[in-house]
Amino acid sequence: MPVLGSDFTVVDACRSCGSAHLEQVLDLGRLPLSDGLVPGGSSREDEPVYPLTLVWCKDCSLVQILETVEPTTLYGSEYPYYSSFSPALVEHARLNVEGIIGRTGVGEGSLVVELASNDGYLLQWFAKEGIPVLGIDPAPGPAAAAEDRGIPTLCEFFTVQLAQRLVSEDRLADVVVGNNVLAHVPDQNAFVEAISMLLAPEGLVVMEFPYVRDLVDKCEFDTIYHEHHCYFSVHAVQALFRRHGLELVKVEHLSIHGGSIRVYFSRTDAPDDSVARFLADEISAGVLGSGYYERFANDATEIRSGLRELLQGFKSDGKRIAAYGAAAKGAILLNFCQIDDSLIDYVVDRNHHKHGWEMPGVRIPIHPPDHLRDETPDYLLILAWNFKDEIVEQQSWFPASGGRFIVPIPVPEVL
Ligand code: DWN
């Protein structure tokens, strides 16, 4: 029986505005840590599980989880996520950098700082243009990989103290980039205050994170996990940064990671019309009202039962089922839907750091993609559904040999 983890706290006020008016959206129960892969063959008893409760702030609309697991537990020496194993993500980063250089004109005399720089997948594109960069990432593995590719990286959490140290060294940032990091931060105000301190007077902040409208509209409940403390609307993120003297000047909607927004903040630039458009669309969609979140729990429960029934039907017909992508979202999907090794034989993933480990909770072994050819399944459940097109193309031999893909989100579908 998994043990209840002890290294977590529970907030009773909004992580942004401090309001006590938090309303429950979905209780996911007690789940393991989504990136907490387990060594093959280890006992189940010593794997901790933690409560996971999604709520919504009625005052600033920030969707968030109540639980804060100790960050050093989440991003320890075994943290397995390396961005460069997803080619589509690396290309997405290259285009992002191209756009930032075009907008800001940063050059050899500038400094670009990335928060949660992982393995240098994004900063490498600035460095290739001769633009000075600095990565900041607390996960030792990815930070070391970034250094190996020549990206100077501080293996630390980004804090007010670190920002003060960099400012004292006259290392103000002309651009601060933060992709898939803001959602990961338990203390939103301290983090954004540190960004404001580090940013040069006419600097630009460019942040990317999953968009709460995609989460709700497509019921992407498997993207809710202990690393992701917050799920932003444009209204919520504008209020958060405005509190620290940074104004929202541009918003873009992106397809990456199941639907994200890229937001730009500045002290000097004027907002373009995208800001008013996104704010107006959120109001008309009802994002600022509780009714918008009422169906989410029901939708998640329907997907859970539909997916289980689909897989149980194939299994009772003697079919073999495997899964693709040892993703954090995959760990949540399998554990929330209680899909274990009685249904799924194994998971494959290109990230060699994950090979030989097991998915958290359900304990399904992780192999390289070539294992699919050794023990070819009848069905392949795509856990990294946000990269569905890339995976289907990459594994095009599989349907050609009679196999069929299953995509679980937004509704379970056999391709
Ligand atoms: O915030 C986070 C999100 C944005 O990304 C972090 N918690 C870490 C990560 O979450 P995730 O693990 O759910 O993200 P991914 O990027 O959807 O995971 C994809 C997994 O699939 C990776 O382990 C790499 C793997 N993969 C593969 O094996 N072959 C991915 C592609 C595209 C492939 O072709």
Side-chain angles (χ1 to χ4, degrees):
M1 182 67 185
V3 295
L4 178 63
S6 56
D7 51 345
F8 76 99
T9 55
V10 177
V11 296
D12 57 9
C14 174
R15 294 176 186 270
S16 173
C17 73
S19 165
H21 301 141
L22 300 176
E23 191 171 277
Q24 183 168 306
V25 174
L26 174 64
D27 180 353
L28 289 97
R30 291 180 175 185
L31 293 176
L33 298 179
S34 56
D35 274 312
L37 304 185
V38 187
S42 59
S43 74
R44 290 175 183 268
E45 284 62 43
D46 53 12
E47 182 181 4
V49 292
Y50 299 83
L52 186 57
T53 315
L54 190 73
V55 298
W56 166 68
C57 175
K58 299 178 76 170
D59 289 341
C60 78
S61 88
L62 181 62
V63 176
Q64 54 203 284
I65 59 173
L66 292 179
E67 294 79 14
T68 303
V69 174
E70 176 53 46
T72 51
T73 300
L74 293 174
Y75 306 105
S77 59
E78 303 296 350
Y79 182 70
Y81 181 76
Y82 291 73
S83 301
S84 295
F85 284 100
S86 302
L89 186 60
V90 175
E91 174 60 8
H92 172 83
R94 186 186 67 79
L95 294 172
N96 185 0
V97 167
E98 195 174 81
I100 293 171
I101 293 173
R103 176 181 175 116
T104 62
V106 286
E108 293 175 0
S110 309
L111 175 63
V112 175
V113 176
E114 185 184 10
L115 312 178
S117 47
N118 199 268
D119 58 9
Y121 79 106
L122 181 141
L123 287 179
Q124 65 177 330
W125 303 113
F126 283 109
K128 281 183 169 61
E129 298 299 321
I131 299 167
V133 297
L134 176 65
I136 299 173
D137 197 297
E147 284 280 352
D148 290 347
R149 68 169 21 142
I151 304 299
T153 301
L154 299 176
C155 186
E156 300 183 46
F157 287 95
F158 181 62
T159 61
V160 165
Q161 292 71 24
L162 176 52
Q164 287 170 333
R165 191 171 92 222
L166 293 171
V167 170
S168 70
E169 296 165 359
D170 197 22
R171 298 168 83 179
L172 285 175
D174 298 290
V175 175
V176 173
V177 182
N179 292 351
N180 301 301
V181 59
L182 188 63
H184 295 62
V185 172
D187 185 339
Q188 293 286 308
N189 286 294
F191 190 77
V192 177
E193 180 59 25
I195 291 174
S196 187
M197 292 167 68
L198 181 62
L199 188 70
E202 299 185 0
L204 184 71
V205 178
V206 187
M207 311 286 288
E208 242 179 71
F209 37 76
Y211 188 26
V212 74
R213 292 194 65 186
D214 292 297
L215 168 69
V216 174
D217 294 349
K218 294 184 276 185
C219 197
E220 297 173 348
F221 66 85
D222 56 349
T223 63
I224 302 165
Y225 38 87
H226 296 96
E227 286 176 34
H228 288 172
H229 296 94
C230 297
Y231 305 78
F232 289 97
S233 64
V234 174
H235 276 85
V237 75
Q238 180 186 47
L240 170 63
F241 275 76
R242 176 171 286 168
R243 199 174 298 127
H244 301 278
L246 295 169
E247 279 305 316
L248 182 59
V249 296
K250 184 181 177 67
V251 185
E252 295 169 317
H253 191 205
L254 311 166
S255 61
I256 198 79
H257 285 309
S260 301
I261 48 176
R262 181 180 295 149
V263 288
Y264 301 72
F265 296 93
S266 164
R267 298 187 186 94
T268 52
D269 294 2
D272 71 16
D273 60 8
S274 65
V275 175
R277 187 170 70 248
F278 271 84
L279 293 173
D281 288 351
E282 286 186 353
I283 291 170
S284 56
V287 171
L288 304 186
S290 56
Y292 182 68
Y293 306 96
E294 277 171 0
R295 283 196 46 79
F296 187 75
N298 183 59
D299 291 349
T301 307
E302 283 184 0
I303 292 172
R304 172 166 61 187
S305 51
L307 183 59
R308 277 187 59 80
E309 284 161 23
L310 185 70
L311 299 181
Q312 285 168 338
F314 292 149
K315 202 67 184 173
S316 59
D317 291 346
K319 301 300 184 185
R320 293 162 303 167
I321 310 169
Y324 192 112
K329 62 174 72 65
I332 297 300
L333 184 89
L334 295 175
N335 281 280
F336 180 73
C337 299
Q338 297 173 321
I339 297 169
D340 60 15
D341 52 5
S342 66
L343 291 172
I344 304 285
D345 296 340
Y346 59 85
V347 177
V348 296
D349 194 292
R350 284 171 53 157
N351 178 349
H352 61 79
H353 297 277
K354 300 186 177 183
H355 300 162
W357 295 72
E358 295 176 344
M359 295 298 283
V362 291
R363 297 304 180 86
I364 299 172
I366 303 167
H367 297 290
D370 285 350
H371 194 72
L372 289 167
R373 295 183 185 267
D374 303 333
E375 288 185 36
T376 305
D378 299 294
Y379 291 95
L380 187 57
L381 174 64
I382 302 180
L383 298 174
W385 45 262
N386 47 313
F387 293 121
K388 174 187 69 173
D389 296 342
E390 183 175 358
I391 292 166
V392 168
E393 184 187 348
Q394 181 201 102
Q395 303 296 329
S396 57
W397 66 272
F398 178 62
S401 60
R404 300 194 67 182
F405 292 107
I406 302 170
V407 180
I409 298 289
V411 285
E413 177 190 8
V414 181
L415 301 186

